[in-house]
Structure formats: C-alpha cells, structure tokens
Amino acid sequence: MRWKLGTAAYKRVPSRDAAMDPDLETPDPAAEKTPDGGGGGAGAGAGPSWRRSLPHVCVATVTSFLFGYHTGVVNEPLESISADLGFAGNTLAEGLVVSICLGGAFVGCLFSGSVADGIGRRRAFQLSTLPMIVGAALSALTNSLEGMLFGRLLVGAGMGLGPPVASLYITEVSPPSVRGMYGSFVQIATCLGILFSLLVGTPVKDIDRWWRVCFWVSAVPAVLQAIAMEFCVESPQWLYKCGRTNEAEMQFEKLLGPLHVKSAMAELSRSERGDDGESVKFSELFYGRHFNVVFIGTTLFALQQLSGINSVFYFSSTVFRSVGVPSSLANICMGIANLLGSIIAMLLMDKLGRKMLLVGSFFFMAFSMGLQAIGANRHLGSASVYLSVGGILLFVLAFSLGAGPVPGLLLPEIFPNKIRAKAMALCMSVHWGVNFFVSLLFLRLLEQLGPQVLYTMFSSACVVGAIFVRRHVVETKGKTLQEIEVSLLQTQ
C-alpha cells in the first residue's frame, strides 16, 4: 500500500544530487563531531541540546501510555463487564474481551509502515488515535458482548498502529546523546498507563457501571495527543526521503538548533548516497542487503515474547492467588517493579549501551524464571511461595531493564531510513503474532507439561536470547542514525 504526495512542489530530490551540494557534503569537520557523539556546528562546544526535542518526544509517548492503559483497563472491571453484558461465567467470552485487542493490534501493525511512510509520522499518530477514541466510546456505550468486542478490536487497531510509529518518531527526532534515554520513555509511559488503569478501575466493585467510566477516561489522552501533534515537528528523515529538503532543514533547526543543521543534513546525504529514492516493497525485506538487519529485528522480538513475559503479565494474578496473595496487591507490585526497572534502564541506556542491557536482562530473566520453576515444586512448603512470588517480580524487573525497552529503540536505529517504517511494521507484527500464540497456548501447555517444564522452556528461551544478542546485535550508543547505517552497510 502506497500513498502519493499531492503536490509537485515536493518532487523527490535524488540523494546523489544532494550529496554534491558542497554545503552538505563538506561541513566543518571540527564542528561535525563532538565528544558526546552528536553533530555539532560552528562554535558549538557540545552536541545538540536535549531540551528542544523533549516536548515532541513526550507527546509521542502518549501513544505508549494509551497502549499500557488499554492493556490493563479490563483487568479489574472484567467481572462487572461480564455481569452487566450478560456473559458472566463464559470464560471464552471473557478471554475474547481481553485478547481481541491482540488481533486488532496485529492488523494495525501490518499497515503502520505504509501509513508512516505515506502520510508522515505526525499524521500517522493522529490516525492511530481515531480508532482508539471510537473504540473506547463504543466499549463505554455498548449493551452487548458484540459491541464490546468490536470496540476492543478498534482499540487494538490503534494500539498496533501507534507504538511502531512512536519508536520511529522518537528515534528520528532525538539527539544521539539522549536517544537511549528518550527511547526508554516508551516503556515508562506504558508502565504508567498500566498503573493508571489499575487506579481508575479501583472503584469498579463499589460504584455501579463504573467500568464505563474506565473506557471514557481513555478517550481523553487520545484526543489530547491528536491536538498536540499539530504543534510537533515532522520527522526530518521522512521529509528528506520525500525530497522535501528545505522542510527537513527547518525541522532539524527546531530539534537541534541552527548550529547543527548543516552537519545533520550532511549525515543524511552521506547515508542515502546511491539510493534510488524509491520505496521498498515488503518482499524486499526478506532478501538482499536488508535481510540481515530484518532477521535480527524479527528474531529479537520473537525471543522477547518467547521468554514468557506476557504469560507472566496476563496470568500472574492466578499464580499469586494460588499462594494466598491478593490479585490487586500482586498487580500493584508488578507495576512498581516494571516502572522501577524502566527508570533504571532510562538512566543506564546511554551509559552502558543497548547491547549490555539486553544481554544482562535476558540472563537475569533466565535466572528469575528458573526460580519460578523451582517454586512450582509444592513440596518445598512455604519456600515455594517466596520463590514463585519473588521469581515473578524479579522477572518483570529484569524484563523492564532491557528486553522490554531496548528492542523498540534499537531496531529503528539499525534499520536504514529507506526501510525503517516497513521493517518496524514487520518486526512488530512478529511481536503481536508470537504474543498471541504464547497467550493462547500458555494455559494448555501449563496443564499438559506442568509448570516446571514450561518455566524451564521459557528460561531456556531467555538464555538463547542472551546468546543471540551477544553474537548478532551491534552497539548503537552515541552514534547518529546515519553513522549506524553506513557502518552496517560496510560490514555486509
């Protein structure tokens, strides 16, 4: 699916022509590089200020807040929803209300790359809020199971479209020195969304039909994001790819300051030299020079889900109740562990680097899942309670330190500008697909294999993830997107 630009004024400027512009090709070498890895400018003693891009990044992360909110919004109210809509006791219907968002997200994600490339990142954000607003309203107003499922399906489509665009946008508008920290905002916003949904859902057992209010609340941040995006910058990389060079320069000036525009444009010119300017097709991601980075991206997201993280998120309440811990307390503790790990990851992302956090996170997750496997042995008495509960909380903490926030940041960094949107759409589709099957099969596998065998399988997947990252993932800390792209092409 492709969109055509509606005006001839934005005719593609071939990058080989831009590369011959002496102002772009030969910036002052002393000004181009700075100690923090960012581009500089004449007279600039440091990289671009993080303050210019921060407001735009914060608006973009509202999508992740909505993702977290809609993930957790039905947890507490599900019993009240099923009673009011007449499907109480129907476990299949209750499961569909929770999981149908995954189906919608898969569909929305498939189109996210074409949408982001066709109409731009800002308009893609605004488009993603539309099904979230309409779906939330339908869910709040419905008096039938069918209406609830349709509303949740629409919400899922927005959830699938928004997060990949957020990863693209944040990566493309952030200065290299703080790109890791800003990328961590996605995970933090998701955690805050989950915690906020639990807070909003607290009165559901005391106030009749409060669950309808829970859905109405979600429409507010979606509307605010759609409005705020009108005042945000467009991605300079997308503008440049469309041949809108002058606009790209203006957006770089807003994001980086006037001293850094020339070197940023020179980096774009250098990375796209020899590019024919045509968009790639999805089929081209599976062969040729782009296959390697796409393989890394899809495998990384698959291993992230095969670690068992969503089985922990979706079914932890059952585990906690089985050992006598109230589910409400369990959800709050998990939310705090997730938020704490995300904050630590934010502080370390641009110091330790993406690769080290990923390797450490996967090994820590393997250890934590091993504790759960040991705790599943009820012959250990009270020790099994501590091992099960402690293992779950440590697992969530370990996930939020690396395996959670890093892939969404790392992959837009390693994907060339030409394929970035479509490659992210493909990788996120793998994410949703594996997520769906793990969630669907978890209870059946738990029944057939037992917790010790299943948790050992999850732990083994985490070890494989750590080894895969160690062997195949490159470090991107402190590098511009164009430096990463050029270095990857040179190694192929």
Side-chain angles (χ1 to χ4, degrees), residues 295-306:
F295 170 74
I296 291 173
T298 52
T299 304
L300 198 55
F301 266 123
L303 289 169
Q304 181 198 62
Q305 297 304 305
L306 290 172

Side-chain angles (χ1 to χ4, degrees), residues 309-392:
I309 181 60
N310 281 303
S311 67
V312 170
F313 277 131
Y314 296 152
F315 304 106
S316 60
S317 297
T318 303
V319 176
F320 279 117
R321 280 196 298 267
S322 69
V323 294
V325 178
S327 60
S328 58
L329 177 62
N331 289 330
I332 292 174
C333 289
M334 284 182 57
I336 292 173
N338 200 6
L339 180 60
L340 177 62
S342 300
I343 293 174
I344 295 173
M346 177 189 70
L347 298 175
L348 297 179
M349 193 77 73
D350 290 309
K351 292 182 173 63
L352 297 181
R354 289 54 153 161
K355 187 171 184 176
M356 183 177 292
L357 283 179
L358 266 180
V359 172
S361 175
F362 272 120
F363 273 129
F364 192 9
M365 289 163 67
F367 171 76
S368 305
M369 191 60 77
L371 291 181
Q372 293 182 61
I374 297 172
N377 184 353
R378 299 307 178 195
H379 297 295
L380 296 176
S382 60
S384 67
V385 176
Y386 295 107
L387 289 171
S388 296
V389 174
I392 288 178

Side-chain angles (χ1 to χ4, degrees), residues 21 36 138 150 169 178 223 226 244-245 330 364 450:
D21 186 337
D36 69 352
L138 285 176
F150 184 58
Y169 184 81
V178 293
V223 171
R244 298 160 66 171
T245 308
F364 192 9

Side-chain angles (χ1 to χ4, degrees), residues 49-65 122 125 162-163 165-176 178-189 225 228-229 231-234 254-256 346 409:
S49 171
W50 54 267
R51 294 180 180 86
R52 289 176 175 268
S53 54
L54 180 60
H56 310 282
V57 170
C58 289
V59 173
T61 55
V62 174
T63 288
S64 301
F65 177 86
R122 290 171 61 241
F125 275 119
V165 179
S167 295
L168 289 173
Y169 184 81
I170 292 172
T171 298
E172 292 173 343
V173 304
S174 302
V178 293
R179 195 168 57 234
M181 181 176 69
Y182 283 174
S184 300
F185 285 6
V186 170
Q187 184 73 10
I188 292 174
Q225 185 185 37
M229 263 297 153
F231 305 96
C232 291
V233 300
E234 181 54 271
K254 293 178 182 178
L255 290 167
L256 307 178
M346 177 189 70
L409 166 66

